[in-house]
Structure formats: structure tokens, C-alpha cells
Amino acid sequence: ISASQSNILTLETFLSQVCVHHVRSCSSIRFIKSKYVCAFDKPAFKFSHQQRLFRTSAVSCGQIVQFKLSDIGEGITEVTVKEWYIKEGDSVSQFDSICEVQSDKASVTISSRYDGIIRKLHYNLDEIAYVGKPLVDIEIDASKGVAPEEDVVETPAMSHEEHTHQEIKGHKTLATPAVRRLAMENNIKLSEVVGTGKDNRILKEDILNYLAKQTGAILPPSPKAEIIPPLPKSETVPAVPKDKARKIPVPVSRPIVFSGKDKTEPLTGFHKAMVKTMSAALKIPHFGYCDEIDLTQLVQLREELKPLAQSRGIKLSFMPFFIKAASLGLLQYPILNASLDESCQNVTYKASHNIGVAMDTEQGLIVPNVKNVQVCSVFEIASELNRLQALGSAGQLGTNDLSGGTFTLSNIGTIGGTYAKPVILPPEVAIGALGKIQVLPRFNGKGEVFKAQIMNVSWSADHRIIDGATMARFSNLWKSYLENPASMLIDLK
């Protein structure tokens, strides 16, 4: 036997003894702690007269990490799991979306902190998840050492074949579960999409761009009330039939289930937030002020601007004008854009006009706000409203969209009614409720009767720091901007 062949035999004998020693000393291979671990799914040594082969199959040892729900902020301690973007056995990378949760303030998408394989989901849909508690178990590569030791719960052994399959599967098409779902919903094969992300990862923008090339421009989702396109020249139709059509209630196509038994269910999400907010609002001494606004000129102006807005991809409603006029009024009466501390000793005047808009959604009442209206144009406000309405309808508004409001308008008139009694949203000090627009007879300066587009407004203010005269003067200024929209040009910034 040559010297090289002798060395090979000696090495084979040594390694086989080490491996047998470790295997015998442990009840299960998955709990072997030594860094010199060998496992053999086939005979390790094969001898023949012609050659000697030394064959091993490496074990991929991974750590199971309990990925805990971190602090979302805003004092949130529990959330409701609304949707899973992954399932057990899926591979995930850092920053991949794991699930969507909803608190009593907003919907939040939770992303992964690790690269690995999902081994366990700790919650079902619509179950309550708690901050600091495990959300999912992720198996990560132990050799990378990226997991906190206190999060590791076990170290399972994975066969070489399984590990290779996961790697090959992951490199076929790199994409997050959310992107895969988007592709599936639009019947797009990921193999046909060119990824622009890291390592050719397919991003959401890649799917949208691919879809745009196939079908044209991608439009953002819009509220249900906006899905029906307007008929040509629908606005030139006499208003009387339109009013009659609006008075006919549309039946709700929901199956009526009568069980004869009482049902008790916990308050969650935005309904729970409403209880908390309205309980705090009860401590505020409200006073109301109402008036009617003649929007005849504004209706004409909007009709002229609608085609221009549509050419920019914006749906222009009356609300952007109401919001901008309110902001111009707040510049003259900043006390309405303020907040009062709990001890009622200090008033904080807000520099930004973050005007909230109450929205009725399937999740309940939500009030996202348009940030910094004082420096926004009417078109910019309309664009932001379109975005907020789309996210609100999809239940995907974030915490930033729902927090930081300084003044609120509630367009209850889109559902019905003329006057209302709006409730202030703490820590704000004023709110306005807008009624529906009606065609009513009014007299002009010559005593002639004409058709006027009349809208009623109802204001509520915190009487601890706002008196009736201030509220009335603000309302009169806001009214003048809307009744003579050209006058807003003087004060626009």
C-alpha cells in the first residue's frame, strides 16, 4: 500500500470512530451539540478493488426563532390578525411581508427580520395577537448566528435533500408572498416577469409594470361609491329627477339570518377605538353652530375643473374645496386649530393644518387626515383624498394617516341628512358636519326666485376655549370662500 493510500485509510478510520461515538452518545441526532457532527443517510464508506470512496451527506442544522410581535407604537398592546401572507413551510427573507394586523388605530403590515423557513403560525385569522408574544416560528441558518439566543427554542436537523430543495425553490423566482399573491390574482406567471430587486428579486412595481404593458395603465382601487362611471352629460340632467333617485333607498344585498338567539362578541379594531375616543369626548363641553351655504358658483367651478383633474388622474369632488377653505379660515382663527392639555392650563396652537375627513368603511368609522393643507393646492388635496379613500376602502390605512389630526370635517351628506351634531375628536377642539347638497328655491338681490345649490353645515366646538362669536366668524369666512370661490385666490399660498 502506498503512503497516500495509507493516509486515506487512517483518516477514514478516525472519522468513522468519531461519528459513531457521537451518535451513540445522543438519543437523537437533532440534539447533538458538538461542532463535529456527521450523519449518514447512505453507507459512509464504499470499498472496491479499484478505488476507495469517502462519501458524506451534510446535515443543515437550523435554529427555530420565535419572531415576536414588536411594539407598534401609539400605546398599542394588542392587534387582530387580518391576513397571513405566508403559510407554514414558506421561505421568507428579511423585510418580506408576513401578515397584516389591525389595531384600534390603524392597519399595519408586519415584515420579517430573518431569512428562513416558516415553521409555525401562532394565530389564526381574526385572533388577537399581543405585543411581545410570539407571532411565528422561523427556522434560520444556525451558522449565521443572527438570532438572539433567548429566541431559539430548538435546533432541528434537516436532510440535505430537503435543504437543497428549498434553495432551488427559492432561486427559481425570488418574490415575497404578497408579490406572489398579486401575480396569482392577475394570472401572471412569475417566470415571465423581469425582477429589478436585489438578486433579480421580483418587486410589486415589476408586477404592476408588467400588467401595465399587457392591459394599459394601472388605476388605484377606489371606494365602492366611485366604481360606477358617470354617464355622459349626467350633470346636465335636471336636478329634480336626481333628487328623487337619491331619496329611493337602495336595499342592502345581505342575507338575513334569524337564529332567535342573542349573540355577544367583543369590540375590536376601529369599533374599540370609537368607544375610547367618544368616552374622552364626553368630557368636552360642546356647543353647536349651524348655517346654510349656497354652492351654486362652486358647483359650476367644479364642473369646469373636472376634465382638467381627470387628465391628471385625479377625481375632483367638492371635499378638496371644503378642506382648503377651512384651512384658509384657520389661518385667521388659529384657536380652532389648537389643543388643550389635560389640566386645562395650556393651549397649543398647531402649526400644521392636518384636516381629518371622516370615512364610513366596512371596518367602521375612520378619520384619516390630509397633512399640511396650508401649503397644498386644491389638486394636491384631491390627490391625497383619492389615496386615503382607496386605502380606507381596502382597510390598509397606516398609523401615520390616522394620527396627528388637528381639525375635522365629516361629509355625512354623502349618505343623507342636512344637519347633524358632530362630536369633537380629542385632542382637537372643533369639527364640522356637512349635509347633502340640495336644489332649493332662493331669492336673489332683485327678489327673483332662482335655483340654488344649498348645503347645510353643523359645527361643534370646545366651549372651554372657543366662544360662539369666534365660531360664527370662522363659519362666515369659510362660507364666503365657498360661495365666492374666486375669492380664495386672494389668500391662496
Side-chain angles (χ1 to χ4, degrees):
I1 302 176
S2 65
S4 60
Q5 291 174 329
S6 177
N7 290 337
I8 291 174
L9 286 175
T10 304
L11 176 61
E12 291 174 348
T13 303
F14 171 74
L15 289 176
S16 64
Q17 290 175 352
V18 171
C19 293
V20 170
H21 171 71
H22 281 286
V23 169
R24 289 178 178 175
S25 63
C26 300
S27 59
S28 173
I29 263 184
R30 70 187 295 176
F31 293 103
I32 296 176
K33 301 300 181 182
S34 173
K35 64 180 179 179
Y36 301 101
V37 180
C38 296
F40 307 97
D41 53 354
K42 296 182 180 179
F45 303 97
K46 286 189 178 181
F47 295 93
S48 66
H49 295 290
Q50 288 79 17
Q51 67 182 82
R52 296 173 176 86
L53 298 177
F54 176 63
R55 298 186 59 193
T56 63
S57 179
V59 173
S60 175
C61 296
Q63 292 181 334
I64 296 295
V65 175
Q66 289 188 333
F67 177 40
K68 299 177 181 178
L69 180 62
S70 58
D71 185 9
I72 301 176
E74 298 286 331
I76 297 171
T77 59
E78 61 182 43
V79 295
T80 303
V81 179
K82 303 303 294 184
E83 185 174 4
W84 286 108
Y85 297 131
I86 45 87
K87 61 181 181 299
E88 294 181 0
D90 283 352
S91 298
V92 296
S93 302
Q94 292 187 54
F95 310 113
D96 282 358
S97 298
I98 291 181
C99 65
E100 180 182 335
V101 299
Q102 185 181 84
S103 69
D104 58 354
K105 297 181 182 294
S107 295
V108 179
T109 299
I110 305 298
S111 56
S112 175
R113 299 201 327 245
Y114 309 110
D115 298 335
I117 302 172
I118 301 297
R119 290 306 181 194
K120 181 180 179 181
L121 307 181
H122 284 268
Y123 301 98
N124 296 320
L125 292 179
D126 295 325
E127 286 188 347
I128 302 297
Y130 297 92
V131 171
K133 299 296 183 181
L135 191 62
V136 296
D137 288 353
I138 304 178
E139 181 179 339
I140 65 172
D141 188 350
S143 63
K144 295 182 179 179
V146 296
E149 293 183 0
E150 61 271 15
D151 289 343
V152 179
V153 294
E154 59 178 332
T155 307
M158 181 189 292
S159 67
H160 174 76
E161 288 79 6
E162 181 182 354
H163 182 66
T164 303
H165 172 71
Q166 293 289 347
E167 288 183 349
I168 295 175
K169 179 179 179 182
H171 283 78
K172 281 183 179 179
T173 50
L174 292 175
T176 64
V179 171
R180 293 180 184 275
R181 184 183 63 173
L182 179 63
M184 180 182 65
E185 291 174 349
N186 291 278
N187 297 320
I188 297 176
K189 294 181 180 179
L190 290 177
S191 58
E192 299 176 355
V193 181
V194 178
T196 59
K198 183 180 179 181
D199 299 328
N200 296 323
R201 179 180 295 276
I202 298 175
L203 307 177
K204 179 181 178 181
E205 291 75 13
D206 300 328
I207 299 293
L208 296 179
N209 292 334
Y210 178 86
L211 194 58
K213 293 178 182 178
Q214 301 296 321
T215 62
I218 303 301
L219 297 177
S222 56
K224 295 180 179 178
E226 300 175 11
I227 293 177
I228 304 175
L231 296 175
K233 299 181 180 179
S234 61
E235 298 297 332
T236 61
V237 178
V240 175
K242 181 180 178 181
D243 288 345
K244 290 183 178 179
R246 289 184 60 181
K247 293 179 181 178
I248 301 176
V250 179
V252 180
S253 58
R254 295 179 183 174
I256 300 176
V257 180
F258 181 73
S259 62
K261 297 181 180 179
D262 296 341
K263 183 175 71 172
T264 302
E265 57 184 26
L267 289 171
T268 59
F270 297 127
H271 292 285
K272 190 173 183 179
M274 187 186 300
V275 172
K276 181 179 179 181
T277 303
M278 293 299 102
S279 297
L282 187 62
K283 303 176 182 178
I284 299 175
H286 287 58
F287 84 90
Y289 178 84
C290 303
D291 201 354
E292 71 172 32
I293 319 294
D294 183 357
L295 299 181
T296 304
Q297 292 187 37
L298 181 60
V299 170
Q300 296 174 356
L301 176 62
R302 174 175 171 265
E303 286 304 308
E304 295 174 2
L305 295 178
K306 278 177 64 176
L308 178 59
Q310 290 176 354
S311 67
R312 300 185 183 184
I314 299 174
K315 178 174 181 180
L316 183 62
S317 64
F318 290 105
M319 202 63 187
F321 296 97
F322 300 154
I323 292 174
K324 188 60 183 180
S327 177
L328 294 175
L330 294 176
L331 292 174
Q332 301 295 324
Y333 300 96
I335 188 63
L336 297 175
N337 196 60
S339 64
L340 184 65
D341 65 3
E342 294 183 359
S343 61
C344 300
Q345 299 298 317
N346 300 287
V347 177
T348 301
Y349 294 87
K350 304 293 185 179
S352 298
H353 296 173
N354 300 337
I355 298 183
V357 181
M359 294 182 181
D360 177 48
T361 69
E362 294 183 358
Q363 292 79 32
L365 175 65
I366 56 176
V367 189
N369 58 82
V370 180
K371 299 290 194 296
N372 297 309
V373 176
Q374 76 279 3
V375 294
C376 292
S377 67
V378 171
F379 278 149
E380 289 171 337
I381 297 171
S383 177
E384 179 66 2
L385 276 179
N386 289 176
R387 184 186 72 85
L388 294 175
Q389 288 168 346
L391 293 177
S393 296
Q396 297 177 352
L397 285 168
T399 304
N400 183 60
D401 295 323
L402 294 167
S403 59
T406 61
F407 186 87
T408 298
L409 291 176
S410 175
N411 193 10
I412 191 65
T414 56
I415 300 175
T418 53
Y419 291 101
K421 188 179 180 181
V423 180
I424 299 170
L425 300 177
E428 299 173 20
V429 294
I431 184 174
L434 312 176
K436 64 182 179 180
I437 300 176
Q438 306 175 86
V439 177
L440 298 173
R442 290 296 184 267
F443 291 96
N444 60 19
K446 298 179 180 180
E448 300 170 341
V449 177
F450 70 101
K451 291 192 303 182
Q453 302 276 355
I454 300 298
M455 182 189 73
N456 303 112
V457 61
S458 305
W459 301 105
S460 290
D462 187 340
H463 215 341
R464 294 175 296 182
I465 60 173
I466 300 173
D467 55 62
T470 301
M471 187 76 254
R473 292 188 180 102
F474 167 82
S475 180
N476 290 338
L477 179 58
W478 180 76
K479 175 180 178 179
S480 68
Y481 284 134
L482 298 178
E483 292 189 337
N484 304 282
S487 65
M488 284 196 288
L489 295 174
I490 298 177
D491 296 322
L492 285 178
K493 298 183 183 298

